[in-house]
Amino acid sequence: MVSGTLLSGNEAVARGAWEAGVKVGVGYPGTPSTETLESFVKLPDVYAEWAPNEKVALEVAAGASLGGVRVLVTMKHVGLNVAADPLFTLAYTGVGGGLVILVADDPGMHSSQNEQDSRNYARFAKVALVEPSDSGEALEFTKQAFELSERFDIPVIVRSTTRVSHSKGLVETGDTITPAALGEYVSDPSKWVMMPAMARRRRVDLDDRLSALVDFAETTSLNRVEMRDSSIGIVTSGVSYQYVREAMPEASVFKLGMGFPLPVKRLTEFASSVGRLVVVEEADPYLESSLRSMGLEVSELYIPRTGELSSAAIGAAFGLSAPQLREAIDDLPPRPPLMCPGCPHRGAYHALRKINAIVTGDIGCYTLGALPPMSSMDSCVCMGASIGMAHGLEIARSDSNMKRPVVAVIGDSTFAHSGMAGLVDIAYNGGASTVAILDNRITAMTGHQGNPLNGQTLMGTKSRELNIEALCSALGIDRVRTVDPHDLAASVQALREETAHDGLSVIVFKAPCALLLKEKELPFSVNDEMCNACGLCIGLGCPAISKTSTGKAEIDVTICVGCSQCVQVCRYDAIEATGPACDIGGV
Amino acid sequence: MSTVTVMLAGVGGQGTILAADVLAKVAAASGFDVKLSEVHGMAQRGGSVTSVVRFGDEVHSPIAHPGSVDHLVAFEITEAGRQLHFVKPDGRLMVNARFIQPMPVLLGTMPAPTGLEAILDDERAIFLDAEELACEIGSIKSANIVLLGALSTGLEFEVEAWRDVIAARVPAKTVEDNMRAFELGRQACEKGECAL
Ligand SMILES: Cc1ncc(C[n+]2csc(CCOP(=O)(O)OP(=O)(O)O)c2C)c(N)n1
């Protein structure tokens, strides 16, 4: 009989932190890490906040650690790029209270722009890294990470991946501990003020701390050898361990719970106790290259370097026979993710398409404007890039006769994350771009988090709303206007005027995310007699509108939220208001 | 018990995630080790979504791969076709006979799939109309629970375990409706419509 509570990896990390006595959590949302802080804040007696970006999150955590308390930081893999600057130097300073960073990687890019492997960061920044393989370990390893952080005076990364963060498993939970009362605050510049003279000493000290960590890695139960058939020995970590156990139940396994630093002696011993030594890991050949540089002979195994692993892929690599399959059906129409019915971004994109804009895009739900039927985005690189790229594009093309207007498109959360500095750049250097801020009053893409523009805090309190108009005017930008993106004509007009204007202008497309609407408008339906089957409403790409066998439009009243954008594009007055969905029995 | 793999496949917004959560909790309440995996992210509606629940004495991998699924419950017919090769040749395939137009079909850039029903029929799929059954009790939102009722006839958990978990997991004012939805799904199968 198995027992425990069913928790996702993210929930287990939050729980583990809480059980370790953590009272402070800070992060920035990002799939697949987001639910960690969201579940942490629900635990008793904690404080948690969303920072505007990951760098600030880690800096807030560094301050809390300096203040002597344990603190959890959460982010997705690309967030660690943003937070890399403080991370590298926090390895030098070390910690006061334990500092643990949950970083969730996304191999296979389920919802990310790249699939970087965060284990490299631990080696690069010289911080410790633990790597749970399921929810049970996520809880246990997080708890231990806090012990490690304080014992070895170093930040510790808990590295997760989508399949650990978003899989649920049974977890034995425990109680929290009460941290010892804080003593008087004592300044320690030799540890915390990283000017060259101090940093040089801390650099040497860091090596001492790392070598103590290597000794620890040699004995800790975070790393585990499972001897079975000794003809094959597999070194693995994270969720790959679970796939290995499933595909190769008889093989001997060295399971690394600590991804950095590695236990050289134990690995060497394992290598000599097995016939063939192989490494199974997802993403980069991080362990493989580490083992090779230890002088161990790693036998070649074909493991895909891109995308996710599975037990089937591992079975195939070892030459096991593939399972019998039913024939796949190949030519099915895909279902790319869509803007929801009533999404305000749809109105903004309708207008951008109307003026044939070149759109330097950004990351959020509005990135879906890159897909048909809008197909209106020219670039999407990283959060905040839209604004700098619009400026750069205009510089590059200033001499040529650019016929199409350039518009930077960025969401509210993304603007607060890293868009502001781009705007400062254009204002400072006298650029003439048009910046469209799609303010849907929430961080929608990652599942509705508060942000500085809507002033909703993670603690559930209402704080200040960042005033974009006032901010822009403080930057010296005099052309700022706010438009309702559901008003299509006004949206087109605003874009026409501001792109024609020879100077920097900001348009705020402001309307709440459709999923935030508590009181929905009545749905619309199509008057079949009036419909001319022209397809204009279909071209909005609203999931509520479909085409009947006669080519005419039909609206699914169960999901229509009455935004009226389709009414505005219809030239035949064929779309009209109806009663509530239940009365007309739409299935 | 060796590990059983169930996949729930549908379109975002159809309630697959809640259904998977119920199934995982029923398996746990019945004394099994269990893992559940799903992928969140991107837009909330309209994308293909799959959840996988695996249970047994000891479960390792949280995900399924082609040829590994014992029970597929497809909430929509195109999604049944999309995941067909995940189902073991002797696995059970249950399909909600509903077609939700994918965007390329809506836009006319790709034809609607034809002959899917015949292919799935050849693959011994069990067809059901969960929305119609849910409408019988006036609660179209309970279609996912109708499908769980149908699925439950092929799994060895006690009916009481299902009822307890559903009651605890759905919004309080919908408990009655969902109990009836579950029963309707079971009956649809017990009437022989779901025989393999
Ligand atoms: C550095 C970094 N952190 C986090 C993410 C995850 N992420 C993608 S979009 C997004 C926020 C989008 O919010 P917003 O700009 O308000 O647009 P919306 O989705 O509401 O349209 C986040 C947090 C990321 N891609 N990169």
Side-chain angles (χ1 to χ4, degrees):
Chain A
M1 179 91 182
V2 189
S3 68
T5 315
L6 197 62
L7 293 184
S8 71
N10 284 343
E11 291 166 331
V13 168
R15 177 84 196 186
W18 181 79
E19 290 184 12
V22 177
K23 304 281 184 231
V24 182
V26 50
Y28 182 72
T31 314
S33 71
T34 314
E35 303 79 13
T36 314
L37 211 55
E38 289 177 330
S39 58
F40 178 75
V41 76
K42 293 189 188 121
L43 294 164
D45 305 322
V46 300
Y47 171 81
E49 68 175 38
W50 292 125
N53 66 38
E54 294 85 353
K55 176 176 185 289
V56 174
L58 183 51
E59 290 157 351
V60 171
S65 173
L66 168 65
V69 303
R70 291 186 166 184
V71 55
L72 175 71
V73 193
T74 71
M75 62 191 67
K76 71 182 293 176
H77 59 311
V78 284
L80 197 53
N81 302 333
V82 179
D85 203 6
L87 176 72
F88 277 65
T89 304
L90 285 169
Y92 286 38
T93 63
V95 304
L99 196 170
V100 171
I101 309 164
L102 167 82
V103 180
D105 289 3
D106 188 17
M109 294 175 276
H110 294 283
S111 40
S112 304
Q113 68 269 37
N114 73 23
E115 61 178 11
Q116 67 196 37
D117 184 334
S118 297
R119 295 176 302 173
N120 297 301
Y121 260 116
R123 184 163 56 187
F124 192 9
K126 303 185 172 63
V127 299
L129 179 141
V130 297
E131 206 183 349
S133 72
D134 63 10
S135 298
E137 288 185 352
L139 188 148
E140 200 42 49
F141 286 17
T142 303
K143 265 167 100 166
Q144 289 201 40
F146 281 97
E147 302 285 329
L148 280 184
S149 175
E150 287 174 3
R151 180 163 156 205
F152 296 96
D153 190 16
I154 201 153
V156 180
I157 293 174
V158 175
R159 187 244 185 179
S160 170
T161 54
T162 302
R163 300 304 184 174
V164 174
S165 279
H166 281 176
S167 295
K168 292 186 178 175
L170 294 170
V171 178
E172 292 298 341
T173 55
D175 218 337
T176 181
I177 53 164
T178 310
L182 290 175
E184 182 99 14
Y185 175 81
V186 184
S187 299
D188 186 357
S190 65
K191 176 170 160 61
W192 286 96
V193 180
M194 286 302 93
M195 297 163 73
M198 278 84 123
R200 277 183 212 116
R201 283 197 292 274
R202 289 301 292 176
R203 173 68 189 85
V204 175
D205 188 70
L206 175 56
D207 270 2
D208 293 343
R209 287 178 275 145
L210 286 176
S211 73
L213 264 167
V214 173
D215 293 343
F216 173 81
E218 298 288 359
T219 55
T220 174
S221 60
L222 289 166
N223 297 326
R224 173 169 91 222
V225 175
E226 299 173 3
M227 283 313 280
R228 286 177 278 266
D229 172 8
S230 64
S231 61
I232 296 184
I234 304 176
V235 179
T236 187
S237 69
V239 75
S240 305
Y241 165 78
Q242 304 292 351
Y243 303 147
V244 163
R245 290 292 294 124
E246 187 132 338
M248 303 287 288
E250 300 308 324
S252 294
V253 173
F254 195 126
K255 180 186 181 301
L256 284 157
M258 234 178 131
F260 187 82
L262 294 172
V264 184
K265 282 193 216 120
R266 256 167 113 182
L267 283 164
T268 311
E269 223 171 80
F270 180 71
S272 61
S273 65
V274 295
R276 176 180 173 215
L277 182 73
V278 294
V279 176
V280 172
E281 61 191 321
E282 205 168 54
D284 290 348
Y286 166 82
L287 293 174
E288 187 176 327
S289 60
S290 303
L291 262 57
R292 289 226 160 92
S293 70
M294 289 171 193
L296 301 180
E297 197 179 313
V298 181
S299 133
E300 289 292 338
L301 186 71
Y302 179 73
I303 295 282
R305 282 289 162 235
T306 59
E308 290 189 292
L309 272 186
S310 67
S311 51
I314 293 166
F318 282 103
L320 303 183
S321 60
Q324 253 196 315
L325 295 188
R326 300 190 192 219
E327 202 170 330
I329 308 176
D330 295 326
D331 45 2
L332 291 171
R335 281 186 205 281
L338 301 170
M339 292 180 200
C340 302
C343 176
H345 297 335
R346 183 175 290 109
Y349 273 99
H350 170 79
L352 286 161
R353 189 172 55 175
K354 266 266 182 289
I355 68 157
N356 195 21
I358 294 173
V359 172
T360 54
D362 224 300
I363 307 192
C365 285
Y366 52 93
T367 314
L368 297 171
L371 303 180
M374 292 303 176
S375 307
S376 299
M377 190 176 284
D378 289 71
S379 68
C380 167
V381 177
C382 67
M383 287 188 79
S386 58
I387 300 183
M389 286 185 75
H391 182 48
L393 186 58
E394 289 188 331
I395 292 171
R397 292 271 173 163
S398 60
D399 294 337
S400 70
N401 188 4
M402 189 97 118
K403 295 206 179 58
R404 296 168 59 198
V406 176
V407 181
V409 170
I410 187 166
D412 48 344
S413 188
T414 306
F415 180 71
H417 178 278
S418 46
M420 273 189 264
L423 201 56
V424 171
D425 180 55
I426 306 181
Y428 165 45
N429 288 298
S433 311
T434 305
V435 175
I437 302 176
L438 272 45
D439 182 6
N440 60 353
R441 314 303 300 143
I442 201 92
T443 313
M445 169 117 156
T446 42
H448 283 182
Q449 292 76 33
N451 68 48
L453 274 76
N454 74 7
Q456 290 290 346
T457 73
L458 185 53
M459 295 303 284
T461 55
K462 181 78 188 153
S463 121
R464 295 180 184 82
E465 291 183 21
L466 188 151
N467 182 334
I468 301 181
E469 290 84 354
L471 174 86
C472 290
S473 109
L475 295 179
I477 305 168
D478 44 14
R479 285 185 80 106
V480 188
R481 61 202 273 185
T482 300
V483 190
D484 176 0
H486 292 302
D487 185 339
L488 301 182
S491 298
V492 173
Q493 191 191 350
L495 276 167
R496 284 228 164 92
E497 288 171 7
E498 297 313 325
T499 53
H501 167 69
D502 185 24
L504 173 56
S505 47
V506 174
I507 308 173
V508 184
F509 287 96
K510 190 168 176 177
C513 167
L515 300 178
L516 288 179
L517 300 173
K518 292 227 170 54
E519 281 166 43
K520 304 232 184 325
E521 301 290 328
L522 288 182
F524 287 96
S525 66
V526 179
N527 180 330
D528 202 56
E529 277 167 28
M530 309 276 277
C531 177
N532 198 37
C534 68
L536 275 178
C537 59
I538 305 262
L540 285 170
C542 174
I545 310 177
S546 59
K547 209 188 284 183
T548 64
S549 52
T550 60
K552 296 193 176 188
E554 183 176 51
I555 294 178
D556 181 344
V557 291
T558 62
I559 58 173
C560 171
V561 298
C563 77
S564 90
Q565 290 183 25
C566 57
V567 180
Q568 296 171 58
V569 297
C570 181
R571 292 188 186 151
Y572 303 95
D573 294 330
I575 303 178
E576 46 199 37
T578 58
C582 313
D583 297 353
I584 41 181
V587 171
Chain B
M1 186 180 83
S2 64
T3 301
V4 174
T5 305
V6 181
M7 178 188 275
L8 307 174
V11 178
Q14 282 196 300
T16 52
I17 289 181
L18 182 135
D21 201 54
V22 167
L23 170 58
K25 288 192 166 125
V26 172
S30 309
F32 292 107
D33 187 19
V34 60
K35 282 187 178 163
L36 180 167
S37 71
E38 63 207 17
V39 174
H40 316 220
M42 292 308 278
Q44 314 251 346
R45 277 175 204 274
S48 298
V49 285
T50 57
S51 293
V52 169
V53 178
R54 308 189 72 219
F55 56 90
D57 292 335
E58 194 186 4
V59 181
H60 291 294
S61 166
I63 58 172
H65 52 77
S68 74
V69 169
D70 298 286
H71 299 262
L72 171 68
V73 184
F75 285 46
E76 194 274 346
I77 190 164
T78 325
E79 299 314 305
R82 208 183 307 282
Q83 307 303 339
L84 179 63
H85 62 295
F86 274 81
V87 188
K88 287 178 181 168
D90 61 350
R92 192 162 176 251
L93 174 57
M94 201 166 272
V95 182
N96 186 21
R98 199 176 180 217
F99 174 57
I100 302 176
Q101 291 192 15
M103 191 46 68
V105 175
L106 265 180
L107 296 175
T109 53
M110 274 184 91
T114 50
L116 254 184
E117 229 175 295
I119 297 176
L120 293 170
D121 210 39
D122 277 353
E123 298 280 346
R124 300 180 315 284
I126 302 155
F127 286 95
L128 217 76
D129 191 337
E131 269 79 11
E132 196 179 285
L133 289 169
C135 273
E136 265 181 42
I137 53 165
S139 162
I140 190 172
K141 287 235 161 77
S142 303
N144 57 347
I145 304 295
V146 171
L147 289 167
L148 277 185
L151 169 69
S152 72
T153 60
L155 301 175
E156 285 163 38
F157 307 127
E158 301 286 339
V159 175
E160 269 322 297
W162 285 98
R163 298 180 62 91
D164 290 349
V165 174
I166 293 170
R169 185 64 179 77
V170 300
K173 56 178 197 267
T174 68
V175 171
E176 278 301 300
D177 282 350
N178 280 306
M179 288 302 154
R180 290 171 59 201
F182 183 74
E183 206 41 52
L184 280 178
R186 280 190 73 82
Q187 282 167 10
C189 276
E190 280 163 358
K191 275 188 220 142
E193 285 161 37
C194 293
L196 260 181

